[in-house]
Structure formats: structure tokens, C-alpha cells
Amino acid sequence: MMKLAQKILTGSIVAMALGAVTPAMAGKVLDGVKQRDQLVCGVHTGRAGFAQADGNGKWSGLDVDFCRAVAAAVLGDANKVKFVPTSGQTRITALQSGEIDVLARNTTFNFTRDTSLGLIWTGINFYDGQAFIVKKRPNLKSAKQLDKATVCIDAGTSTERNLQDFARNNKISFKTVVFDNAEGSKQAFASGRCQAYTGDYTALAILRATDLPNPDDYELLPEIISKEPVGPAVRRGDEEWFTIVRWTLQAMQGAEELGLTQENIDAKAKSDDVAIKRFTGNGDDIGKSLGLDKKWAYRIVKQVGNYGESFARNLGEQSPLKLDRGMNRLYTEGGLVYPLPLQ
């Protein structure tokens, strides 16, 4: 009996070790995406660099690219995406209700959201922090000098709580004016209704560069009062779909680490490098355990590009915004982007 028990135990261990090569069970969301042959992705109503539609209804941005990457992996075509604009107030309910398959809308991954909303974040695709923008005036050099100032805030965000914490910690107070959408906040701030506007640093930098008259009349104060790691989210209860969305992001970031780009991936696919062969579908089959084919990661890069390419064209040196990558550099370049190994 002891020998039989040992054999059973040994067999269980071997089965567990081989579990990674077992095809994934298709989840409900994946089934729905395949049946309609389209991914439904919730994005911002309009934020330059992240999600914005042009006059012809063509969407672009860092979050838009991520949605397209998921479609490339799952459906084989990055263009099979329906973009659903969501506000700060509607984005969570749109995902909870099943109106969208994935939310990619500058949404901060924090404790409350991750534990109480029935959602789960799949990773971080942008590191940011909350800041203040003001109209320049002599001797105003710190947000701590804004005691009793009127501050514009977007509704449905974590911004107000962060502002309250900052005020409490520094023994000052603010009069907040909350707007249903970012456009209302921008207009109120530009008209002088508010003495300051607070939000993600990157959003404020974009606001100054693109939306405010006479950008040199405004400045961002030095305080960064919160951590804002933002990324895509899905509904809880469908681990198969969660895993696909998570590894789509890892594939985009991992491709940059491997030096794989839209332009060179076909040439590099002929490499003998084991990691590149695996990534491009010419080595170990890492698609099977996702319920996808061997070329899922290859298609992401070929059709959309790696994370660095997406950042450059939407936010960085190839875009009108010219934003520095800062914390969003790879860890090998002093940033926080640390791709998980695809193996």
C-alpha cells in the first residue's frame, strides 16, 4: 500500500509539473469575444496619448494599442475592436455589467478597487502620480501654499481622497469643485473658476501642452501626492480571460526587452535564441495553456508593436506630446517596467 501511495503521489507531482502544457479551458468572456468576432474595450472619452478618436472615428493611444493587442492575440486581427468611451463615473459599472470585455482607461490599481468592486487588475501599463497645475504667480512654488484655494477635480476618481489626505497631512484645507468629466474641469480651470486643478501628472502636462491658451502662463507644482499605477482590468470569476489579458501586456513589455519590434520581428524569428523562438511561435508552444495558438505573441508585435514603440508614438518622442518615459522605462534603463518571463 505504501508503494502504491508513493506511486500515486509521484504521479500527481508529475501531472502538476506538466500542467503548464495542458490546454486552458475557454472562459465565458473568451467564448463571447470569439463568437462575436470582436473585442469590446472600454477606453477614455478622449485623452491625448491614451485614447482619442480623430474626425474619422479612428482611435489611437497607449490604451487603444493595448486593446488592439488583445484582439491580435485572441482574434488574429488587431482591428477587431469596438471602442466604448467611458467616463470616470461609468467605467467601473460598464465592466461590472459586462458591457465591455476589458477596461483600459487610465484606471489606478489600488486596494479598494481591487478588493471591493468585483474586478481584478491584470497589470500596470503606466506609472503616474497626482499633481497640481496652477496659473503662474510670484512666490507660488508649492502645493502646500494653496491653503483655502479652490481646486477643480474630476468625479469618479481617487483624486479627491488623495487631495483630502494631502490636506490633512499638511494641516491645510481646499474648496473642491467636482465636475462629471475632465472636460468640465479643464474649462473651469482655464476660465479661472478654480485656482488649481489636480489630477494625474501626465494628464496635467498634456492639458498644458495641448488645451490651455498660452501654456507658458501655467506650471505644474513639484509635489507628487500619490502613486497612480494604472492598467487594464477585467471582471473577477473568469481566470482564463484574466490570464490572456495579463499576458498580452507582458508580451508587449517582454518584446521590448527582447528587442523585438514590428519591423524586425520576422527577421529575428529566424534566430536560434530560445526566448525569441518561444515568443515568435517557433519553439515551445506557450499559446496552448492560454487557449490560443502558437503565434499569439508574434501577432501582438507584428500588428501593434512592443510597449516602447507604443509609448513613443503615442506619448513620447514620435508624438506631439514629447513626454519623457521616466518611471515607464524598462528596468534595465532605470524604470519600473519589469516584464515577467514568457516560459
Side-chain angles (χ1 to χ4, degrees):
M1 288 295 292
M2 286 293 292
K3 288 184 178 180
L4 178 60
Q6 288 175 341
K7 288 182 179 179
I8 292 173
L9 177 61
T10 301
S12 298
I13 293 172
V14 171
M16 290 170 64
L18 295 176
V21 299
T22 303
M25 296 290 289
K28 290 182 179 179
V29 178
L30 178 60
D31 284 342
V33 170
K34 287 184 173 180
Q35 286 171 10
R36 82 173 82 93
D37 199 30
Q38 185 182 58
L39 175 74
V40 182
C41 200
V43 294
H44 203 285
T45 52
R47 176 173 287 183
F50 290 92
Q52 195 168 44
D54 63 16
N56 297 316
K58 181 179 179 181
W59 287 87
S60 64
L62 190 77
D63 290 335
V64 167
D65 278 353
F66 177 75
C67 298
R68 297 180 68 243
V70 176
V74 174
L75 300 174
D77 186 346
N79 294 315
K80 291 184 175 181
V81 184
K82 176 183 178 182
F83 295 103
V84 176
T86 61
S87 69
Q89 293 178 299
T90 64
R91 56 185 169 174
I92 300 298
T93 53
L95 184 56
Q96 290 171 329
S97 67
E99 179 186 351
I100 57 178
D101 302 312
V102 60
L103 176 67
R105 189 205 175 278
N106 299 96
T107 304
T108 302
F109 181 177
N110 63 26
F111 176 82
T112 302
R113 287 175 175 164
D114 193 49
T115 60
S116 63
L117 299 177
L119 309 180
I120 185 167
W121 266 252
T122 61
I124 299 167
N125 75 336
F126 194 81
Y127 292 91
D128 212 338
Q130 187 173 327
F132 297 84
I133 188 170
V134 296
K135 196 161 188 177
K136 289 180 181 178
R137 65 177 192 261
N139 303 318
L140 177 55
K141 301 299 180 185
S142 168
K144 297 175 184 179
Q145 297 173 259
L146 293 174
D147 188 24
K148 297 181 175 59
T150 301
V151 182
C152 285
I153 294 179
D154 301 343
T157 70
S158 56
T159 305
E160 190 165 13
R161 177 176 290 183
N162 295 334
L163 185 65
Q164 291 170 349
D165 290 347
F166 178 76
R168 189 179 303 116
N169 289 337
N170 290 282
K171 296 179 173 56
I172 58 179
S173 64
F174 300 108
K175 179 182 178 182
T176 58
V177 183
V178 183
F179 293 87
D180 289 340
N181 54 61
E183 193 59 38
S185 299
K186 292 175 186 178
Q187 291 176 3
F189 174 65
S191 70
R193 181 176 174 184
C194 301
Q195 295 164 282
Y197 179 21
T198 186
D200 291 350
Y201 181 94
T202 303
L204 299 182
I206 293 170
L207 168 68
R208 182 176 62 177
T210 62
D211 292 336
L212 291 176
N214 304 315
D216 291 341
D217 291 345
Y218 298 87
E219 65 179 340
L220 275 81
L221 297 176
E223 288 87 358
I224 302 296
I225 68 170
S226 72
K227 293 185 292 185
E228 303 296 334
V230 305
V234 296
R235 291 183 297 284
R236 285 187 179 273
D238 191 330
E239 288 79 7
E240 290 76 24
W241 182 243
F242 162 79
T243 304
I244 289 170
V245 177
R246 173 170 62 182
W247 284 99
T248 295
L249 176 58
Q250 294 302 320
M252 292 186 76
Q253 295 177 342
E256 182 181 12
E257 184 181 27
L258 289 171
L260 300 174
T261 67
Q262 279 186 293
E263 185 177 352
N264 71 20
I265 192 168
D266 286 323
K268 290 211 169 189
K270 301 172 184 177
S271 165
D272 291 329
D273 184 285
V274 175
I276 292 177
K277 289 179 68 175
R278 184 183 298 122
F279 191 103
T280 56
N282 296 320
D284 300 335
D285 186 354
I286 60 171
K288 185 181 295 184
S289 55
L290 291 175
L292 304 178
D293 63 18
K294 293 182 70 171
K295 293 290 187 178
W296 69 277
Y298 163 84
R299 286 194 300 273
I300 289 172
V301 178
K302 186 64 179 177
Q303 296 184 25
V304 182
N306 67 40
Y307 178 78
E309 290 179 288
S310 178
F311 191 102
R313 67 171 168 260
N314 292 303
L315 293 163
E317 66 271 15
Q318 297 171 17
S319 79
L321 303 174
K322 310 294 182 188
L323 295 182
D324 185 88
R325 276 186 71 171
M327 295 183 290
N328 295 290
R329 294 187 178 94
L330 285 173
Y331 72 102
T332 52
E333 299 172 0
L336 298 179
V337 177
Y338 189 96
L340 301 176
L342 272 76
Q343 62 183 45

